[in-house]
Amino acid sequence: MDLGIPIRELQQRISSSEFVEYMASYQIDQRGGHYDDLRAGAITSVLANIHRDRERQPDPFTNLDFIPWNEHHRAAHDAEPVLLDDPEAQSRLIDQMMFPKRQ
């Protein structure tokens, strides 16, 4: 997620529950680095398919063929989300998962 300001400054400006809302919005709207990678993979797959040797590579390339993390991404996508009733507890959980060394 890129809001254009450093994380420390962001932590001073908004509450942790508002930060969680931003994270959810980014997942729903499909913004962020991994979606940029998917878009770049789409462009790369078009170029690769234009120059593909159809005898050696009969199946067309897809965008996932050019994204090294795709297996990890699919496994993470299939996982059930952990949703807590308390927004502050949810924020602490996210903080612990994103920044484990700070604990």
Side-chain angles (χ1 to χ4, degrees):
M1 171 167 51
D2 183 12
L3 298 176
I5 62 174
I7 298 271
R8 297 258 185 239
E9 186 176 336
L10 181 64
Q11 289 173 328
Q12 293 172 352
R13 289 186 181 188
I14 66 173
S15 68
S16 57
S17 57
E18 188 176 5
F19 184 71
V20 169
E21 287 180 36
Y22 273 112
M23 291 177 67
S25 137
Y26 269 69
Q27 286 182 334
I28 292 168
D29 294 343
Q30 299 186 346
R31 295 176 278 174
H34 55 282
Y35 292 103
D36 294 340
D37 289 345
L38 289 171
R39 290 181 192 101
I43 294 166
T44 306
S45 67
V46 167
L47 292 172
N49 284 321
I50 289 170
H51 300 287
R52 180 177 93 236
D53 179 347
R54 292 175 190 260
E55 289 182 17
R56 289 179 49 196
Q57 177 70 34
D59 295 326
F61 293 106
T62 70
N63 57 349
L64 293 179
D65 291 325
F66 299 94
I67 301 170
W69 51 257
N70 74 64
E71 292 297 326
H72 173 72
H73 179 70
R74 272 186 263 181
H77 184 14
D78 293 341
E80 290 293 320
V82 177
L83 302 174
L84 305 176
D85 292 330
D86 178 18
E88 292 299 320
Q90 184 78 43
S91 295
R92 283 192 300 278
L93 176 63
I94 292 168
D95 186 56
Q96 289 170 353
M97 297 304 292
M98 292 179 68
F99 308 105
K101 293 183 180 180
R102 285 200 287 178
Q103 307 306 321

